[in-house]
Every structure is written in C-alpha cells, then in structure tokens.
Amino acid sequence: MRLNKFLSNSGVASRRKCDELIKEGKVFVNGKQVKELGTVVNEKKDKVTVEEKVISLPSSFVYIKLNKPKGYACSASDEKGRKTIYDLIDCDERLFSIGRLDYDTEGLIILTNDGDFANKVAHPKYNIEKEYRVTIEGDIKESELAVMRKGVVIDGERMPSARVEKLSQDDKYTKLSVVIDEGQNRQVRRMFEAIGKSIRLLKRVRIGQVRLGGLSRGDYKDLTEEELNLLVRGK
Ligand code: URA
C-alpha cells in the first residue's frame, strides 16, 4: 500500500495532508526517514511512525456526526490551547474531520478514521452541498441577495455563487439559508462581510443529504448506513 494511503487510512489526516507530512520529513518507516511520496509499505510488517507515534490501520471504521458548539477548534491540537472538537468525543480511534468549521461557527461536522471515505467525500468532483443557517444584524435588501447569488467580488476575485434565501426577519435580526457547494476558507463569513453585514450566528445544518437533525450542541452519533451511502453518492 502507498505510504500516503496507509497514513490517511490510519486516520492520521487527509491524503493531501499526509503527503505534506511525508515531504516535511515527519514520517519514518522502520526507523528511516522517508520523504519519497511514492513509497510503498507492507502494512503487516513495516513499522511506520509519525512524530514518534506508531501508526496502524484501524481495526474497524467509525463515522460520526457531531454538533460542534461555538468556541471549539477543529484541529487535533490548538496552538492557542483552546478547546477542540476532540475534547467532545470519547473514541479510542484517531478521527479526523471531513472539512472544518471556524472556531465561532457551530453545527454539523462529520468525523471518521476511514481515509478513503474522507477523500471521496471531500473530493471536488462530488461538489457536496453544505447548507448553513445565518443570522445577521438588521435587514438585507433583495439587491444584496442578488449579489450573493451571483458571487460577491472580493479583491477583484469573484467568489463562487451561493443559493441564498431569506427565512425570517424581526426588528433586530434576519435569518437566512445559504447553500454552497465549495468550501473555501471562511466562505460564508466573507460573503456577508463583502456586503457589509455582520453575522451573529453561523450554523451548518446539512452536508449533502446528511442533516444535523435534532442533535444537541456538543452531542454526536454514528452515521447510519443510509447516510453513508448518500454521502459517497455525492450532492
Ligand atoms: N463558512 C464560514 O465562513 N465559516 C465556516 O465555519 C463555514 C463556512
């Protein structure tokens, strides 16, 4: 098995991130540093370590959906010492999230130790939709919604278009649904910043056909067989 596949299947990180770890010289096979991306390992015999941790393939796969609360980082260890989503999950397997949410964003996150599955779901070819609930301060004009639907322009560059619907409004706040199928860094926040709107709450409620449902903040549960199948089929 190729070393990057072995590492991602073992839950170290995505295939691309594993390539970076290899190039950075953080991976050792039988005690020898390996920087060659094409390296093949015998998963039954070879001893693979990353930063002195021995890596092994999981004995079984885990697929979890989590309702991430605001105030949690999605990285395995946070450089600022903040709480991470891994503090919420009691699991002996090395899990990683498929995509991330900002520290201040809440909602649906999918975690797994199955690297192949994660690579498939994250692959741009599938363009899996992500749906958010956004609460902004004040009102929003139809012309501003039209700008977001077309794709806001930031520093001369057009952001991907989004499906944006106004859901409700009171005298202080407006609630919207936003659906995007790319996952650029801080995409939703940047879209609203570009039209001068301040976000009060950002929550992801759906990835593909998998919904957050009634999961309470900080709770998680296994994805069903049906949810898994829908995810690998895309959209
Ligand atoms: N868009 C953002 O701006 N933040 C997230 O966390 C997710 C999507």
Side-chain angles (χ1 to χ4, degrees), residues 100-102 105 132 180 184 186-190 202:
R100 293 185 171 194
L101 290 176
D102 301 334
T105 303
Y132 296 84
I180 55 177
Q184 294 192 7
R186 299 187 71 255
Q187 188 170 332
V188 178
R189 290 184 191 277
R190 283 159 65 212
L202 178 57

Side-chain angles (χ1 to χ4, degrees), residues 67-74 78 80 82-83 85 100-107 132-135 186 189 193 199-204 217:
N67 185 353
K68 172 195 171 310
K70 189 175 166 160
Y72 283 79
C74 281
D78 186 65
K80 294 184 192 145
R82 300 175 300 187
K83 288 179 286 190
I85 52 172
R100 293 185 171 194
L101 290 176
D102 301 334
Y103 184 73
D104 283 331
T105 303
E106 55 181 75
Y132 296 84
R133 289 287 174 271
V134 187
T135 305
R186 299 187 71 255
R189 290 184 191 277
E193 274 161 22
I199 289 187
R200 282 293 293 215
L201 179 128
L202 178 57
K203 177 178 181 177
R204 183 155 66 193
R217 281 198 183 95

Side-chain angles (χ1 to χ4, degrees), residues 7-171:
L7 293 172
S8 72
N9 283 6
S10 304
V12 171
S14 67
R15 193 87 53 91
R16 198 164 44 87
K17 185 85 213 301
C18 289
D19 282 344
E20 280 167 28
L21 292 173
I22 296 169
K23 281 196 265 178
E24 286 163 9
K26 294 197 172 140
V27 182
F28 288 73
V29 178
N30 301 323
K32 266 206 203 133
Q33 190 183 47
V34 169
K35 284 185 162 183
E36 194 49 59
L37 289 183
T39 303
V40 171
V41 288
N42 180 331
E43 62 270 24
K44 297 210 179 80
K45 287 198 192 142
D46 290 330
K47 183 178 167 199
V48 179
T49 54
V50 177
E51 292 170 334
E52 287 167 27
K53 272 189 227 127
V54 179
I55 308 301
S56 54
L57 289 169
S59 47
S60 63
F61 288 133
V62 179
Y63 310 91
I64 283 174
K65 67 176 177 180
L66 164 75
N67 185 353
K68 172 195 171 310
K70 189 175 166 160
Y72 283 79
C74 281
S75 44
S77 66
D78 186 65
E79 73 280 3
K80 294 184 192 145
R82 300 175 300 187
K83 288 179 286 190
T84 80
I85 52 172
Y86 299 94
D87 295 328
L88 298 165
I89 298 166
D90 184 15
C91 177
D92 293 334
E93 299 289 342
R94 270 174 86 108
L95 299 180
F96 55 94
S97 65
I98 304 178
R100 293 185 171 194
L101 290 176
D102 301 334
Y103 184 73
D104 283 331
T105 303
E106 55 181 75
L108 181 60
I109 282 268
I110 294 175
L111 296 116
T112 183
N113 57 352
D114 180 347
D116 272 349
F117 172 82
N119 282 318
K120 261 189 214 152
V121 173
H123 197 284
K125 160 177 114 185
Y126 285 105
N127 264 353
I128 292 191
E129 283 183 356
K130 287 117 197 151
E131 181 175 345
Y132 296 84
R133 289 287 174 271
V134 187
T135 305
I136 56 164
E137 283 171 21
D139 192 9
I140 188 162
K141 293 193 205 96
E142 209 32 65
S143 57
E144 291 167 325
L145 293 174
V147 167
M148 281 200 285
R149 287 176 187 140
K150 196 162 164 221
V152 295
V153 177
I154 302 175
D155 299 333
E157 228 182 278
R158 190 175 294 284
M159 298 276 287
S161 59
R163 275 171 29 219
V164 189
E165 300 300 331
K166 193 162 152 178
L167 299 175
S168 64
Q169 183 191 351
D170 61 24
D171 47 354

